[in-house]
Amino acid sequence: QVQLVESGGGLVQAGGSLRLSCATSGSIISIRTMGWYRQAPGKQRELVAAITTGGSTNYADSVKGRFTISRDNAKNTLYLQMNSLKPEDTAVYNCNAEPRPYFPWGQGTQVTVSS
């Protein structure tokens, strides 16, 4: 069974940066479009960034120019570099397949941005 393990979150001041990692079992990130999702308290989970097997990326309008998704196929790891963080980026971040997140969700990593 596929396992997704997210890490790298934390508490950061507005304007700061964090780099999230998603370690996956097997080589799924090299054969699937993968995405980073987030869910803020009281809100629905949303897709913030995705990367195809060919390396094409797309981003939610709210994070364009600030977040960068990447992957290392040799390490079976997906990354999300987050710069210029804003309080509204506060959420639990998860990785999963995209467009349909059909793998079991990992525990996620909490990102908290203080103003």
Side-chain angles (χ1 to χ4, degrees):
Q1 184 173 344
V2 171
Q3 288 187 317
L4 306 171
V5 180
E6 300 89 353
S7 62
L11 173 63
V12 63
Q13 288 188 329
S17 299
L18 286 172
R19 188 193 194 204
L20 306 185
S21 299
C22 170
T24 69
S25 57
S27 57
I28 59 171
I29 66 167
S30 64
I31 59 174
R32 293 282 186 273
T33 294
M34 295 293 292
W36 279 98
Y37 300 77
R38 69 184 180 188
Q39 186 168 22
K43 295 187 177 181
Q44 286 191 329
R45 181 178 279 132
E46 62 172 344
L47 176 71
V48 296
I51 184 167
T52 69
T53 54
S56 297
T57 58
N58 64 78
Y59 299 91
D61 288 343
S62 59
V63 307
K64 276 182 184 176
R66 301 188 297 121
F67 290 12
T68 302
I69 188 172
S70 63
R71 68 172 192 265
D72 186 331
N73 290 346
K75 294 182 178 180
N76 296 324
T77 301
L78 187 72
Y79 301 101
L80 186 68
Q81 177 67 45
M82 306 187 296
N83 299 327
S84 302
L85 283 161
K86 303 176 181 180
E88 50 263 44
D89 295 319
T90 295
V92 175
Y93 285 72
N94 287 83
C95 62
N96 211 312
E98 201 277 333
R100 195 163 65 89
Y102 48 73
F103 296 127
W105 291 100
Q107 83 288 351
T109 187
Q110 175 71 47
V111 172
T112 303
V113 184
S114 62
S115 57

